[in-house]
């Protein structure tokens, strides 16, 4: 079973690489949508893990590309006892390369309870995606956003500090991760808030 710490570790590793374009895939052992991605389930499994993977996807700007291309389809990649089925295997990609995905599919299994998942990318295409994300400086004029960022920085510091009793202004404050990775985690958290806040503003204007 994939735990919350597993997804947190995945997030740390991806952030450490520093790539803006990401493709990750595997048996995640958790579905994205209980209603759309399961069959003959009596209870929703791993709700905390599902919440954690959604958090990781939001912070890293990842898309479940098969669901993006098949928004209303009910297909499954795993079959278990009592006729249970679910879509546990899938690709996740950053939105900047979504335009290069020609197709994604769930294949036919052979002597396995899991089906293969496939993705076809064509980088020679002239169609471009959203491109590299850039911070919108106008957000710095929004008091609500500034307060949110201050809270984000405090949250990240508290999450990785070795001794929570030490004052935040103390120069010798120690962390469980390197300063570089701490800085990357702060930037990632702020990036997620900026994307979310900008989206909220756009909807509010409409």
């Amino acid at each position: 079973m994939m735990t919350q710490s597993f997804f947190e570790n995945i997030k740390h590793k991806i952030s450490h690489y520093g790539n803006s374009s990401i493709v990750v895939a595997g048996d995640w052992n958790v579905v994205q949508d209980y209603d759309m991605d399961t069959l003959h389930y009596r209870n929703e499994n791993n709700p905390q893990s599902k919440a954690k993977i959604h958090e990781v996807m939001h912070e890293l700007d990842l898309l479940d590309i098969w669901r993006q291309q098949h928004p209303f389809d009910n297909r499954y990649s795993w079959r278990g006892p009592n006729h249970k089925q679910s879509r546990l295997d899938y690709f996740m990609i950053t939105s900047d390369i979504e335009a290069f995905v020609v197709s994604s599919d769930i294949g036919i299994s052979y002597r396995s309870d899991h089906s293969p998942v496939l993705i076809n990318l064509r980088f020679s295409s002239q169609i471009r995606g959203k491109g590299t994300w850039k911070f919108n400086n106008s957000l710095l004029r929004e008091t609500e956003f500034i307060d949110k960022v201050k809270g984000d920085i405090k949250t990240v510091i508290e999450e990785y500090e070795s001794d929570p009793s030490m004052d935040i202004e103390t120069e010798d404050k120690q962390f469980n991760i390197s300063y570089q990775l701490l800085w990357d985690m702060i930037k990632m958290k702020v990036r997620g808030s900026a994307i979310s806040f900008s989206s909220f503003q756009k909807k509010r204007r409409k």
Side-chain angles (χ1 to χ4, degrees):
M1 178 182 296
M2 304 299 188
T3 63
Q4 294 182 70
S5 61
F6 170 82
F7 296 117
E8 190 68 28
N9 187 41
I10 290 291
K11 181 176 70 174
H12 288 173
K13 288 184 179 297
I14 292 175
S15 302
H16 183 69
Y17 293 143
N19 292 353
S20 61
S21 300
I22 301 165
V23 178
V24 289
D27 171 12
W28 300 99
N29 208 36
V30 59
V31 299
Q32 295 293 319
D33 186 308
Y34 179 77
D35 294 325
M36 294 290 292
D37 295 328
T38 66
L39 181 66
H40 300 310
Y41 272 57
R42 294 184 178 181
N43 301 300
E44 183 172 355
N45 295 344
N46 307 332
Q48 294 180 330
S49 293
K50 185 178 75 170
K52 188 64 182 179
I53 199 172
H54 282 167
E55 175 189 321
V56 172
M57 292 174 68
H58 173 74
E59 293 187 6
L60 298 181
D61 188 31
L62 294 172
L63 303 172
D64 176 357
I65 186 60
W66 187 88
R67 179 53 69 197
Q68 290 289 120
Q69 294 191 335
H70 307 83
F72 307 111
D73 291 356
N74 297 101
R75 292 181 61 189
Y76 314 103
S77 66
W78 175 82
R79 290 152 300 284
N82 301 318
H83 304 291
K84 290 172 63 175
Q85 298 187 62
S86 57
R87 190 171 66 90
L88 302 178
D89 311 83
Y90 40 86
F91 281 87
M92 293 192 293
I93 67 170
T94 42
S95 59
D96 63 326
I97 57 176
E98 181 183 4
F100 297 106
V101 179
V102 178
S103 63
S104 58
D105 199 3
I106 300 174
I108 299 174
S109 64
Y110 178 69
R111 293 186 178 180
S112 173
D113 56 352
H114 284 265
S115 297
V117 290
L118 309 103
I119 186 173
N120 181 11
L121 299 101
R122 185 177 300 157
F123 291 105
S124 60
S125 172
Q126 296 301 310
I127 301 174
R128 298 304 302 271
K130 297 180 180 179
T132 303
W133 177 80
K134 294 181 177 61
F135 179 72
N136 181 3
N137 291 334
S138 66
L139 294 177
L140 296 176
R141 295 194 291 269
E142 301 285 346
T143 303
E144 184 180 353
F145 175 73
I146 293 174
D147 291 340
K148 178 68 172 67
V149 169
K150 289 179 178 179
D152 287 342
I153 295 173
K154 183 179 179 182
T155 297
V156 174
I157 288 176
E158 290 177 347
E159 182 177 356
Y160 295 105
E161 60 187 343
S162 300
D163 185 0
S165 64
M166 295 180 66
D167 191 280
I168 195 171
E169 301 296 333
T170 303
E171 293 184 2
D172 295 331
K173 195 172 189 65
Q174 299 297 312
F175 299 93
N176 299 320
I177 56 178
S178 68
Y179 288 117
Q180 180 60 51
L181 184 54
L182 178 69
W183 174 231
D184 289 339
M185 296 305 296
I186 290 174
K187 289 189 292 183
M188 186 174 65
K189 188 76 171 178
V190 172
R191 177 178 182 268
S193 292
I195 293 172
S196 177
F197 190 85
S198 297
S199 177
F200 172 74
Q201 275 192 319
K202 185 176 180 181
K203 291 179 181 178
R204 184 163 56 183
R205 286 195 297 267
K206 286 184 177 180

